[in-house]
Amino acid sequence: MWTLAGQGCWRRSALAAWATRAVRRGLPAPRPAPTRGAAAESKPPDRSYSSADRKEKIDMSRFPVENTRNFSIIAHVDHGKSTLADRLLELTGAIDKTKNNKQVLDKLQVERERGITVKAQTASLFYDYEGKQYLLNLIDTPGHVDFSYEVSRSLSACQGVLLVVDANEGIQAQTVANFFLAFEAQLSVIPVINKETWFYFQKSQISAKLGTNVESVLQAVIKRIPPPKVHRKNPLRALVFDSTFDQYRGVIANVALFDGVVSKGDKIVSAHTQKTYEVNEVGVLNPNEQPTHELYAGQVGYLIAGMKDVTEAQIGDTLYLHKQPVEPLPGFKSAKPMVFAGMYPIDQSEYNNLKSAIEKLTLNDSSVTVHRDSSLALGAGWRLGFLGLLHMEVFNQRLEQEYNASVILTTPTVPYKAVLSSAKLIKEYREKEITIINPAQFPDKSKVTEYLEPIVLGTIITPDEYTGKIMMLCQARRAVQKNMMHIDQNRIMLKYLFPLNEIVVDFYDSLKSLSSGYASFDYEDAGYQTAELVKMDILLNGNIVEELVTVVHKDKAYSAGKAICERLKDSLPRQLFEIAIQAALGSKIIARETVKAYRKNVLAKCYGGDITRKMKLLKRQTEGKKKLRKVGNVEVPKDAFIKVLKTQSDK
C-alpha cells in the first residue's frame, strides 16, 4: 500500500507494487493525474476533456444526462471536506498535483485565515470510467452550524451527497444535522470514512490527506448516485442557487438547469422581477470560470446576463427563455435570522460607501437581513440579522477585507415577541403578536399579556467523562433536558431545549472549555416559549443611553446590569463632576457604579488656622460640583461605546 508521499524511485516502486496487488484483487488500478504534455499527446480522436483544455470552450453536448452526476460533500467542521475536494480535483486533472493544494475551493481570505468553509463552491469534474467520460458537478459546503443555510441551498442542485466522517472523531452533532438535511431532500447518501493517518489502515477507509483510496469515492459517485431527472427538449427552466458580484461584469449567477438549454445570446426572463436580459456568457467552474457554448438540462454552471443591480439576482429565482414562460421552481425557504446586531460606520461620511458594500455582500450572502436604523450617539446605520455569532463575525471580517470598511457592531440580540393586551394597541400595530428586534423598542409590561423568547433544540455529543460538567452548564443557561442516550461505549448524545439568548454569545466557547475541546454542538429552531423578560436601561446621571438598552431574563438582570456598569466605569473619561452609572428595571435601580470627579485641592492655600476655614472652602466646592452636575451633560465618547460593546461580545 502507498502510505506516505516520498521521492524518486522508492515512491514509484511503492505505487507500482500497490497497483499490481490491486489488479490481482480485481480492483481498478490508480490513475495518476495527467500532466499537460501527456494530456495533449493522449487525446483520442473523439476528444476527452481534462485540465489541459481550460483555454478552449468545452462542448457540453458531449455529456448526456445519463453521464452526469451532481453531488455535494457534507460533514462536521474539520472532518476533511475541503481536503477531499482538493484530492478529487487533482485526480480528475482539474488542478495540477502540487504540495500547495490546500483549500483550493475556499477562495475567500477569511476562509483561508480561519481554516473553515464559509461559501459553498462549485467545480465541474471530467472523469473517465469504463470507457465513458462522465461530468461530475461537485459542491463543497460549509460545516459550521451557522452556515447550514448554505448546505440546504447546495443540496437543491444535487441528487446525492458524500457524508464525510473523521475516523478518529466519529459522528458529531453537525454530522447528524447534515444527514437529516440530505435525508429530507431524498438524496442518495454515500458515507465516507476519512482517516488522516495511515496506521492500521483499512480497505473501507480513505485518506483525503494522503490521497489513498480516493478514486473509489469517484467510482461510488457514478454507481450509487442517480443521474438528474430532466428534459432537454422542454423550454429552459434554471434555478439560481447562488450568486456573486463582479464590479466589471455585474452579477454572476450560479444556476442548475432543470429543463432546456441556454447559450450566449439567448434572451432570458427572471420570474421574480419579470425583467428581460441577454445572456453574455455561460460556462462551468473547473474550478475557475471556463466558458462553454451552451449549458444543458442536468448541468450546473454560471451565467452572466448583464444584471448590474444587486437586487436583481434573487437566490431561488427561476430563469426562463423570453416568450416561453414556465412554472417557477419552488425556490428556497427563506433563512431565519437568529441573531440581530446594529451596524454603524465609524465615520458618518462613509455611510454611502458602507451601504454599497453591504448591498454587494448581501448578494453574495443572501441569509443576512437588513433594516435601516439610527442612533443618537452612533448616527445612521442598519440592524442586520445573522444565522449565528460566527456568521456575524465572518460578515464583519469580509466587510473589512473585501471592501475596506470599518464599522461599529452593537451587542448581538435575539428576536423577541410580545402579545398585546388591548384592542387599541392591536389596531395600532395591525397584529396581536409583534416581533421586537431592537431592545429600545421593547414594550412596557402594562401593554402586553405575555412575552415570548425564541428557543432552540440543541444537540450535544460529548465523551461521557464530561457529562456532569456539561449538564451543570446547561442548567445554568436555563435549559430543559429532553433526551440522553449513548451512541457508543464512550460517547453520549444530549438533547436540550435552550433559550436562544443564553447560547448566542459564549455558550459554545464555554462548552469547548469544559470538555477540553471534545464536545460538539448543533442547534435547530424550536419556536417560542413564554418567559419573564424585562427591559434593562442604563442611565448616566439619570439619562437613559438607548444604545446600551438590553432585554434580559428577570433572574439574570442583576448580574448583567452589574457587569455593564463596571465596564462603563472603566471606559468613561472622568469629568469635573461625579457620574452615576445605573442599571434600572423600570423605576427600580438594581446596580450602580460611580465615576469620581476631578477634584481641585482647595486647601492648598491654607497653612494652618481654624478648621472652620477649611470646612467652609470644602462646602463651597461641594455646592459648585452639585450645580455643575445639574447643568453638565454626559456624552459617551464613541470609543467608549466601541470598548463596552466589544467587551460584551468577547465575554
Side-chain angles (χ1 to χ4, degrees):
M1 181 186 67
W2 187 27
T3 53
L4 296 172
Q7 298 291 329
C9 181
W10 174 76
R11 177 176 175 176
R12 288 193 299 272
S13 60
L15 179 59
W18 189 87
T20 305
R21 288 197 297 272
V23 170
R24 285 174 186 166
R25 294 172 188 159
L27 298 172
R31 187 170 66 89
T35 60
R36 293 181 182 273
E41 291 171 9
S42 60
K43 286 175 192 168
D46 64 342
R47 184 167 190 77
S48 291
Y49 291 106
S50 70
S51 59
D53 308 311
R54 291 179 197 166
K55 293 182 181 179
E56 300 178 19
K57 283 195 175 183
I58 300 172
D59 182 9
M60 300 302 290
S61 64
R62 298 186 65 86
F63 300 97
V65 175
E66 57 270 19
N67 287 4
T68 303
R69 302 289 186 273
N70 301 322
F71 68 100
S72 283
I73 304 178
I74 57 175
H76 189 76
V77 188
D78 288 336
H79 275 209
K81 294 181 305 300
S82 297
T83 310
L84 176 59
D86 293 343
R87 300 293 85 76
L88 295 178
L89 289 169
E90 288 177 356
L91 195 61
T92 55
I95 58 174
D96 296 324
K97 191 171 184 179
T98 67
K99 293 181 180 179
N100 298 325
N101 288 340
K102 293 180 181 178
Q103 291 181 271
V104 174
L105 291 178
D106 292 344
K107 298 173 183 177
L108 300 176
Q109 185 180 341
V110 63
E111 292 179 316
R112 293 187 170 276
E113 286 179 359
R114 290 175 176 258
I116 59 173
T117 302
V118 170
K119 281 291 295 176
Q121 299 290 349
T122 308
S124 295
L125 314 176
F126 306 109
Y127 181 65
D128 292 314
Y129 180 64
E130 294 183 350
K132 297 179 183 177
Q133 190 170 38
Y134 287 86
L135 171 63
L136 309 178
N137 295 310
L138 154 72
I139 303 178
D140 184 24
T141 61
H144 196 277
V145 59
D146 282 11
F147 304 103
S148 58
Y149 183 65
E150 285 281 325
V151 179
S152 62
R153 279 216 324 264
S154 303
L155 297 185
S156 66
C158 300
Q159 285 74 48
V161 296
L162 298 177
L163 181 63
V164 180
V165 180
D166 187 289
N168 297 323
E169 295 185 18
I171 294 171
Q172 299 291 312
Q174 195 63 20
T175 313
V176 178
N178 284 336
F179 167 77
F180 280 110
L181 279 176
F183 184 75
E184 288 167 8
Q186 298 182 338
L187 304 181
S188 300
V189 179
I190 301 175
V192 177
I193 301 173
N194 180 33
K195 193 164 187 176
E196 297 301 317
T197 55
W198 60 276
F199 300 102
Y200 308 110
F201 208 83
Q202 299 178 16
K203 294 178 190 177
S204 59
Q205 297 173 342
I206 71 154
S207 175
K209 191 173 183 179
L210 304 176
T212 314
N213 284 358
V214 173
E215 185 136 13
S216 61
V217 174
L218 286 175
Q219 295 168 6
V221 166
I222 293 170
K223 292 176 181 176
R224 297 168 63 176
I225 294 179
K229 295 178 182 179
V230 295
H231 304 282
R232 294 188 174 180
K233 293 182 180 179
N234 289 358
L236 172 68
R237 192 163 58 150
L239 176 71
V240 179
F241 68 91
D242 203 356
S243 57
T244 53
F245 186 82
D246 185 286
Q247 59 179 334
Y248 302 109
R249 298 183 293 171
V251 176
I252 303 172
N254 286 10
V255 294
L257 272 67
F258 285 80
D259 289 310
V261 184
V262 64
S263 59
K264 181 178 178 179
D266 286 348
K267 286 192 174 182
I268 58 170
V269 180
S270 162
H272 178 75
T273 63
Q274 293 300 312
K275 290 185 178 180
T276 304
Y277 308 94
E278 184 175 338
V279 178
N280 300 327
E281 184 181 322
V282 294
V284 294
L285 297 163
N286 187 30
N288 299 318
E289 290 174 7
Q290 170 68 49
T292 63
H293 297 288
E294 303 96 3
L295 279 178
Y296 293 85
Q299 297 173 357
V300 176
Y302 70 91
L303 179 148
I304 302 172
M307 299 178 186
K308 295 299 181 186
D309 190 351
V310 293
T311 59
E312 293 178 36
Q314 293 288 327
I315 303 297
D317 193 7
T318 301
L319 304 177
Y320 59 86
L321 290 175
H322 185 53
K323 295 183 179 178
Q324 294 186 35
V326 295
E327 184 181 344
L329 293 158
F332 304 111
K333 185 171 63 176
S334 58
K336 187 175 181 182
M338 307 290 271
V339 178
F340 288 87
M343 181 176 282
Y344 303 89
I346 287 180
D347 187 347
Q348 280 296 310
S349 63
E350 293 293 318
Y351 178 84
N352 288 330
N353 293 338
L354 182 58
K355 180 183 176 184
S356 175
I358 289 174
E359 285 177 349
K360 290 172 183 174
L361 200 51
T362 48
L363 168 73
N364 193 241
D365 188 355
S366 61
S367 54
V368 178
T369 60
V370 183
H371 303 279
R372 290 187 66 177
D373 199 5
S374 62
S375 157
L376 291 173
L378 302 175
W382 301 267
R383 184 151 287 271
L384 304 181
F386 303 96
L387 300 180
L389 203 64
L390 177 64
H391 187 205
M392 184 180 82
E393 291 174 8
V394 166
F395 188 88
N396 187 26
Q397 194 172 338
R398 288 186 67 187
L399 274 177
E400 292 178 0
Q401 292 175 348
E402 297 174 31
Y403 299 97
N404 199 26
S406 297
V407 299
I408 302 168
L409 270 175
T410 63
T411 314
T413 60
V414 299
Y416 297 101
K417 287 187 178 181
V419 181
L420 300 174
S421 57
S422 68
K424 184 180 178 182
L425 289 169
I426 294 171
K427 187 177 179 181
E428 182 185 336
Y429 286 99
R430 297 181 180 177
E431 54 186 347
K432 187 175 182 179
E433 199 174 85
I434 59 170
T435 303
I436 306 114
I437 61 174
N438 189 341
Q441 298 168 355
F442 197 76
D444 189 67
K445 180 66 178 170
S446 61
K447 295 181 179 180
V448 301
T449 54
E450 63 179 357
Y451 296 116
L452 304 172
E453 66 176 349
I455 56 171
V456 294
L457 179 62
T459 303
I460 301 170
I461 294 180
T462 177
D464 52 11
E465 62 260 34
Y466 303 110
T467 307
K469 292 180 182 178
I470 289 173
M471 291 175 76
M472 288 177 64
L473 172 67
C474 294
Q475 288 170 7
R477 300 302 178 102
R478 301 191 290 121
V480 178
Q481 186 174 331
K482 288 294 179 185
N483 195 6
M484 177 178 175
M485 60 181 290
H486 285 266
I487 57 173
D488 57 32
Q489 292 181 347
N490 302 315
R491 290 184 304 157
I492 290 177
M493 181 166 72
L494 303 166
K495 284 190 177 289
Y496 277 88
L497 273 179
F498 287 94
L500 181 59
N501 65 339
E502 293 287 347
I503 65 167
V504 76
V505 175
D506 60 346
F507 177 78
Y508 189 70
D509 294 335
S510 302
L511 180 69
K512 286 291 183 182
S513 177
L514 280 178
S515 64
S516 304
Y518 287 109
S520 63
F521 179 64
D522 177 58
Y523 62 85
E524 58 184 276
D525 182 33
Y528 282 77
Q529 70 177 8
T530 306
E532 290 189 66
L533 302 174
V534 288
K535 182 171 88 167
M536 185 172 68
D537 298 319
I538 302 298
L539 292 79
L540 296 180
N541 282 353
N543 298 318
I544 295 175
V545 184
E546 277 195 12
E547 293 74 24
L548 296 177
V549 173
T550 54
V551 177
V552 293
H553 192 269
K554 191 176 179 180
D555 297 341
K556 299 208 168 185
Y558 172 76
S559 57
K562 184 74 174 170
I564 294 177
C565 289
E566 287 174 353
R567 282 195 290 271
L568 263 178
K569 181 185 176 183
D570 296 336
S571 305
L572 284 179
R574 290 173 68 187
Q575 306 288 336
L576 291 172
F577 52 89
E578 191 177 82
I579 303 173
I581 306 168
Q582 298 168 310
L585 303 180
S587 58
K588 182 183 177 183
I589 305 299
I590 59 169
R592 172 177 172 140
E593 292 290 335
T594 304
V595 178
K596 296 294 184 183
Y598 282 123
R599 185 179 174 189
K600 182 182 176 182
N601 187 7
V602 293
L603 304 180
K605 57 186 176 183
C606 297
Y607 293 101
D610 189 22
I611 188 65
T612 54
R613 170 70 176 157
K614 295 180 180 179
M615 295 301 292
K616 184 179 178 182
L617 290 170
L618 290 171
K619 186 177 179 182
R620 189 184 297 168
Q621 184 187 41
T622 305
E623 287 172 354
K625 297 273 184 197
K626 281 184 181 177
K627 186 178 179 181
L628 188 61
R629 186 177 176 183
K630 287 179 183 177
V631 297
N633 290 322
V634 182
E635 288 191 4
V636 183
K638 195 169 282 189
D639 58 344
F641 264 120
I642 297 169
K643 189 174 179 182
V644 171
L645 295 173
K646 277 189 175 177
T647 311
Q648 279 187 271
S649 61
D650 292 346
K651 181 184 171 186

